[in-house]
Amino acid sequence: MLAVMIALSVSGLLSAQSNTYDIPEQLSGLIKKAFDNYPKLKQGDALVKVSQTQRDLAKAGYMPTIDGEASYRYGKPTPSITFPGFGSFAFFPANNYDFHVGAQLPIWDFGRTQANVQKTLAGIQSSKDNLENSKQALAYQVAELYCAIIFYNKSVEVQQEQIKLLQENEKIIGDRVKDGDALKFDLLSTQVKRNGAENQLIDLQNNVKKDYEFLDMLTGEQGEGYITRSDISFNTAGHEEVSVDKNYDLIIMNDQLKESEMDIKAARNNWMPKLMAKGQIGYQNGYVGSNPDGSFISLNKLLLTGSVGVGLSIPIYGADRPNYRIKIAQINVAAAKYNIDAMKMNLDKDILQAKSDLEATKTKLKNYDVQIDQAKEALNLANIRYKAGVITNLEMLSAQTDLQNAALGKIQLQFQVLLSTLTINQLGGTKFW
């Protein structure tokens, strides 16, 4: 009889000083391959870079701007004055040309740019936490698939052993039917059980195949059969004292709350003035003056000109309605806080239910240990009674099947214990890899 033992080592609670977990080296390698292969993580990296670029864009508010401008304007009438004997003198030309380069440098914007930069910093953190959340989900997905394949492999072994026993019994009963010592009904009943067991084996093998296909898609591995481990014995510690504070869904919501709070600050700063230094240099016509020889400068002549100064821009009325933006941002903050409270409640509920499921499964697992011992004793008694001719072959076969089913049931419960432990740790944000 195949002895099936899947050891789950669950040690004490997690501490800030210890983040080392005893997991199979192959599982650790598969998780690393998934991190390198899965496109969603590459997308997360790209989104982090986008957020960092948005930060750089926000910081550009501290930098000067330089523009070149060329303009032409025709205007009539042109103001002029006539001096008898000297003719007419115009004050402005009809054709106006202006070619210049201008620069503006922010001196003080009363926190406008700073608020925008702080908002982008919150966005960077949110992008990073989203990336870590995707990594965590992927790591737990790989771990579940890895453990499921081991579980199905153990179940396949048990099922194959059961089929082997049924085939042996079918041969024995077939020989007895030929000798007239058994009924054809016994043979047909055995064949029905064998066919059912073979169908179950096909289902188990198909589950192994599908899990390998899923795992290959995540990790970039090829083929099947590369997981040869026969037990599951790694430490996913800490399910007794997990905290929702480390759950990445909750962390991301807190990031979004910070972004909304930055929106309020940015909206309020839209009412603040902005002090700018300005300067320009270029060529213009239309200047009245005289040459060194005393002659007048033509109004149409382009002259090199320049200017510097300081300007203060004070918002008085804005089409974007800053007050409405502030109100919208405040409502978003309140809604985000309610959403966080609801998420905490749901996470606490999910953890409690997962712990209840874990304890119930552990209790059922203990009952299965008793059930397997009873099935073994019943099989021993059946062997004795069968040899004594007290029971039929079908009754003997039933005792064998009961033991095999108990072994399969124990494997399934051990797998459920592991899944529940992983679920609790995932809800608590445990990083086991």
Side-chain angles (χ1 to χ4, degrees):
M1 182 62 59
L2 178 66
V4 181
M5 292 298 294
I6 301 178
L8 295 175
S9 175
V10 181
S11 65
L13 56 93
L14 296 172
S15 66
Q17 292 78 20
S18 177
N19 288 320
T20 302
Y21 304 100
D22 181 22
I23 67 172
E25 184 177 348
Q26 186 181 38
L27 173 57
S28 179
L30 288 171
I31 290 173
K32 290 178 181 177
K33 287 182 179 180
F35 285 172
D36 293 335
N37 176 71
Y38 198 47
K40 188 173 179 63
L41 299 188
K42 296 176 183 179
Q43 178 195 24
D45 281 328
L47 292 177
V48 170
K49 292 177 181 177
V50 168
S51 297
Q52 292 170 338
T53 305
Q54 289 173 336
R55 173 203 58 198
D56 296 338
L57 178 61
K59 285 184 176 180
Y62 293 120
M63 305 302 292
T65 59
I66 300 176
D67 299 296
E69 184 177 339
S71 66
Y72 165 78
R73 181 178 62 82
Y74 178 81
K76 277 291 186 177
T78 55
S80 63
I81 186 171
T82 302
F83 294 96
F86 294 97
S88 297
F89 295 90
F91 293 102
F92 298 102
N95 296 292
N96 294 271
Y97 301 92
D98 184 2
F99 308 98
H100 70 264
V101 176
Q104 296 188 68
L105 175 64
I107 299 175
W108 191 16
D109 64 2
F110 297 85
R112 281 189 179 189
T113 301
Q114 182 183 11
N116 290 330
V117 171
Q118 288 176 342
K119 181 181 177 181
T120 60
L121 292 176
I124 291 173
Q125 188 59 50
S126 180
S127 297
K128 289 181 177 179
D129 288 335
N130 270 295
L131 177 58
E132 288 302 315
N133 186 34
S134 297
K135 284 184 177 180
Q136 186 188 70
L138 182 58
Y140 275 94
Q141 180 68 73
V142 171
E144 288 183 13
L145 289 169
Y146 176 86
C147 297
I149 289 172
I150 294 175
F151 155 70
Y152 286 128
N153 283 337
K154 301 294 277 186
S155 299
V156 165
E157 291 176 13
V158 174
Q159 197 66 26
Q160 287 173 335
E161 186 170 329
Q162 185 175 7
I163 292 172
K164 183 179 178 182
L165 287 173
L166 288 168
Q167 288 172 337
E168 290 174 354
N169 277 282
E170 184 179 347
K171 185 177 183 305
I172 292 172
I173 295 175
D175 292 340
R176 286 190 173 187
V177 169
K178 292 178 182 178
D179 296 337
D181 296 331
L183 299 174
K184 189 175 182 180
F185 171 78
D186 294 337
L187 178 60
L188 291 173
S189 298
T190 305
Q191 290 172 338
V192 169
K193 288 189 176 182
R194 175 179 56 78
N195 288 332
E198 288 175 345
N199 286 334
Q200 290 179 6
L201 177 62
I202 292 171
D203 289 338
L204 290 171
Q205 291 172 333
N206 187 47
N207 287 334
V208 172
K209 185 176 184 296
K210 289 192 294 185
D211 282 350
Y212 265 117
E213 290 171 347
F214 195 177
L215 189 59
D216 289 348
M217 184 270 289
L218 296 177
T219 63
E221 289 282 349
Q222 298 293 327
E224 304 173 16
Y226 51 82
I227 297 177
T228 57
R229 192 181 182 91
S230 59
D231 67 345
I232 304 171
S233 56
F234 65 91
N235 180 4
T236 56
H239 70 275
E240 298 91 346
E241 297 292 337
V242 295
S243 169
V244 299
D245 293 334
K246 292 182 179 180
N247 182 277
Y248 271 104
D249 289 331
L250 193 61
I251 290 173
I252 291 169
M253 285 187 175
N254 278 297
D255 292 338
Q256 293 170 345
L257 173 61
K258 290 178 183 177
E259 288 189 69
S260 296
E261 290 171 343
M262 290 299 103
D263 281 336
I264 295 176
K265 187 175 180 180
R268 284 175 175 164
N269 284 347
N270 282 337
W271 283 116
M272 304 302 293
K274 181 185 289 187
L275 185 63
M276 302 284 292
K278 301 179 180 181
Q280 72 175 48
I281 185 170
Y283 288 89
Q284 286 180 289
N285 69 336
Y287 283 92
V288 178
S290 61
N291 294 310
D293 61 1
S295 62
F296 289 107
I297 298 174
S298 171
L299 288 176
N300 293 316
K301 184 178 181 179
L302 292 173
L303 299 177
L304 179 64
T305 63
S307 65
V308 292
V310 176
L312 182 65
S313 173
I314 303 175
I316 296 175
Y317 175 80
D320 58 350
R321 310 295 198 277
N323 286 337
Y324 287 113
R325 292 180 60 193
I326 293 172
K327 186 174 182 179
I328 291 171
Q330 288 172 336
I331 294 172
N332 284 334
V333 167
K337 289 180 178 179
Y338 292 136
N339 200 19
I340 288 172
D341 291 339
M343 175 61 75
K344 284 183 177 179
M345 292 174 64
N346 285 324
L347 287 173
D348 287 334
K349 179 261 297 179
D350 291 341
I351 289 175
L352 288 174
Q353 288 183 344
K355 286 182 177 180
S356 296
D357 290 340
L358 179 59
E359 293 306 313
T361 306
K362 285 182 176 179
T363 302
K364 289 167 66 176
L365 192 55
K366 292 178 182 178
N367 293 336
Y368 259 91
D369 288 334
V370 175
Q371 184 177 341
I372 288 176
D373 291 338
Q374 292 172 340
K376 287 180 179 179
E377 184 178 356
L379 180 58
N380 290 333
L381 292 174
N383 278 322
I384 296 172
R385 298 185 66 182
Y386 181 70
K387 291 177 181 178
V390 178
I391 62 173
T392 66
N393 184 77
L394 288 179
E395 290 174 309
M396 174 66 181
L397 189 60
S398 178
Q400 292 174 338
T401 303
D402 288 343
L403 180 57
Q404 297 292 337
N405 288 338
L408 284 172
K410 183 177 179 180
I411 295 173
Q412 186 173 3
L413 286 178
Q414 287 172 324
F415 181 57
Q416 288 301 321
V417 167
L418 178 59
L419 285 185
S420 296
T421 306
L422 287 172
T423 298
I424 294 171
N425 279 276
Q426 185 174 7
L427 289 170
T430 303
K431 186 177 179 179
F432 69 88
W433 62 94

